[in-house]
Amino acid sequence: QVQLVQSGTEVKKPGASVKVSCKASGYTFIAYSITWVRQAPGQGLEWMGWLSVDNGNPNYAQKFQGRVSMTADTSTTTAYLELMSLTSDDTAIYYCARGAWDQKYWGQGSLVTVSS
Amino acid sequence: QSALTQPPSASGSPGQSVTISCTGASSGVLGSKYVSWYQHHPGKAPKLIIYEVTKRPSGVPDRFSGSKSGNTASLTVSGLQADDEGDYYCASYAGGNNYVFGSGTKVTV
């Protein structure tokens, strides 16, 4: 069965970076893009971008351009989201999901807290 | 402010129907076949309930249906049940390889 298992909770200081992982299994990893979505406390879902796993090409939401990096290691079928220059506004649950235009399979979410 | 506007809340009694609208802020949003709906319970992963405007993933009951007319997409939940409570989000291809979620609607049964 398709599974996306994410890394655990992170606590970071303002200005730091965080890297969240998403281990995929149960399907051909390179056949699907990986999308990243976040939800800040009390807020809605926010699309951050997606990564074409087959060629490594990312597509970032304009809001995050310049401080986000989405990559994948096909040898370990793991996708990564790195977000830099963190502020308290980046405190959120970060989700990975399979697919670019609709996402049936999701990771369990990774809580990132940014606090001094 | 999201490019996709949804009503903040909707409600219905068990057995009734509720329809949630999703209106695009510009003609480019909601202009493709890639319109999806998700059910989300905070702290859990979102669940895809409609994709490509009207299609249901396997396992999603036919009580859930989607449609689109012009710049507005809609999700109808018929025969409301208690476990239909939650937050519902529309989402759409927004041009230029971009994707956007709606502002979200809290459904109360």
Side-chain angles (χ1 to χ4, degrees):
Chain A
Q1 72 281 23
V2 176
Q3 282 194 307
L4 299 171
V5 179
Q6 298 184 225
S7 49
T9 297
E10 300 264 13
V11 180
K12 296 291 183 181
K13 294 195 181 303
S17 298
V18 68
K19 194 167 187 177
V20 177
S21 67
C22 171
K23 167 74 174 173
S25 61
Y27 72 96
T28 302
F29 186 55
I30 62 171
Y32 295 86
S33 299
I34 292 286
T35 288
W36 290 91
V37 174
R38 74 178 187 180
Q39 185 179 39
Q43 304 297 310
L45 299 176
E46 181 174 32
W47 178 77
M48 300 183 69
W50 49 263
L51 176 75
S52 291
V53 175
D54 58 349
N55 60 21
N57 285 344
N59 184 54
Y60 305 137
Q62 187 172 9
K63 174 177 178 177
F64 300 102
Q65 291 272 2
R67 68 181 191 105
V68 69
S69 176
M70 296 176 188
T71 57
D73 183 341
T74 56
S75 68
T76 60
T77 66
T78 302
Y80 298 93
L81 168 74
E82 186 173 20
L83 190 61
M84 296 155 272
S85 303
L86 293 169
T87 72
S88 57
D89 290 342
D90 294 315
T91 293
I93 298 174
Y94 289 77
Y95 296 99
C96 63
R98 192 187 82 169
W101 307 127
D102 46 70
Q103 297 83 31
K104 182 175 180 181
Y105 299 100
W106 292 71
Q108 82 277 19
S110 299
L111 175 62
V112 175
T113 300
V114 183
S115 173
S116 55
Chain B
Q1 189 166 351
S2 175
L4 294 175
T5 300
Q6 300 178 231
S9 63
S11 63
S13 300
Q16 288 186 333
S17 296
V18 66
T19 296
I20 303 166
S21 63
C22 170
T23 303
S26 65
S27 58
V29 185
L30 292 177
S32 79
K33 71 176 183 177
Y34 296 113
V35 179
S36 303
W37 289 89
Y38 298 85
Q39 180 190 62
H40 188 218
H41 296 113
K44 293 193 168 184
K47 177 184 179 182
L48 179 68
I49 53 174
I50 295 289
Y51 68 101
E52 293 182 10
V53 182
T54 61
K55 298 177 181 179
R56 281 187 310 277
S58 58
V60 174
D62 60 5
R63 300 186 298 104
F64 293 89
S65 62
S67 63
K68 187 176 75 165
S69 177
N71 212 31
T72 298
S74 299
L75 172 72
T76 296
V77 186
S78 306
L80 274 170
Q81 299 179 359
D83 60 3
D84 294 333
E85 279 203 346
D87 300 323
Y88 289 79
Y89 293 88
C90 60
S92 173
Y93 169 73
N97 280 339
N98 291 309
Y99 193 70
V100 63
F101 283 95
S103 48
T105 299
K106 185 175 186 64
V107 169
T108 304
V109 180

